[in-house]
Amino acid sequence: MHTIPSPARLHGPALLLAVMLVFAVLLTPHAPARAADASVRQKLSEESVIAGVLERGVLRVGFSTFVPWAMQDISGKFVGFEVDVATRLAEDLGVKVEFVPTKWSGIIPALLTGKFDVIIGGMSVKPDRNLKVNFTIPYDYAGMALMANRATAKGFTTLEDFDKPEVTIAARTGSTAAAAAKKRFPRATLRLFDDEAPAIQEVLSGRAHAMVSSAPLPAFEVLKNPAKLFLPVPGTFTSEPVGFAVRKGDVDTLNVFDNWIRLVEAEGWLKERKHYWFETNEWEARLK
């Protein structure tokens, strides 16, 4: 503990030294705090994705192809609900959009290593995912649906009919559909694929009895192949909030995205885009 001499007994240089000692004692505890605050501010600035996006002039969006969330049209251009969302977001931020197609099983690691700025790809908010990334408020809600092969699943009319050891169910690796299938049909054999297309083909060929996927893909596939496929149960059997995924610790980016979602939802724009891609088939001509 410092003992500071009484100024009354000090003169000249000694008094000046005492005054300097007082200021040193008073200011020393605060100096490290100010330095730490500056360090934190600098670190947050460096880690702010939205600041980097504005400086770069490009929003890099990670996604994986899901019909009708994101897919390629006849010219090879990406189209779909998520593509519309990401494109509008970039426009409102005053930047360009760059789409980075990524396999679903590795999409979170790719975000964490900086391959892109945000995941906008129909990602349901799940506790295990939330431990690795932060999610925005929901901009959509997804549900799992089941489509089945008419021959191999003949007579199946309930979810319970598919929860048997002799039943094979296809789903996409690392997807919410795979988790939902494992939980809802624990006794069935689950066969996983990196993409939707081979999983669909597995059901069409009869090698799998059914496929679990986000709506409305199962309904669309049944419409395209009514002689081979059917919907054993109507609608969806789950409901999950869907959000953008960003890296941890970036409150500025999360705030911007949250408020953008609130804005376009209030406008009715999200509802209009959802109706076009999920409740009509007007867009199918763009794929042929």
Side-chain angles (χ1 to χ4, degrees), residues 41-96:
R41 285 195 298 270
Q42 182 178 0
K43 183 175 176 59
L44 287 174
S45 176
E46 291 172 353
E47 291 180 353
S48 173
V49 166
I50 201 68
V53 167
L54 296 177
E55 183 177 353
R56 192 188 316 120
V58 177
L59 175 69
R60 301 171 302 168
V61 178
F63 73 104
S64 193
T65 53
F66 290 87
V67 177
W69 305 83
M71 52 210 162
Q72 287 181 294
D73 66 12
I74 192 171
S75 68
K77 179 183 177 182
F78 288 110
V79 297
F81 177 66
E82 303 290 8
V83 175
D84 283 358
V85 169
T87 301
R88 167 74 190 268
L89 172 61
E91 288 174 354
D92 288 348
L93 293 175
V95 299
K96 297 179 180 179

Side-chain angles (χ1 to χ4, degrees), residues 147-157 161-162 167 208-210 230 232:
M147 70 175 186
N149 182 285
R150 284 192 177 277
T152 57
K154 185 177 181 180
F156 288 22
T157 58
D161 290 332
F162 292 88
V167 172
H209 293 76
F230 76 107

Side-chain angles (χ1 to χ4, degrees), residues 222-241:
V222 169
L223 287 175
K224 290 193 294 185
N225 302 279
K228 292 185 176 181
L229 303 176
F230 76 107
L231 297 174
V233 292
T236 62
F237 60 91
T238 67
S239 180
E240 304 97 20

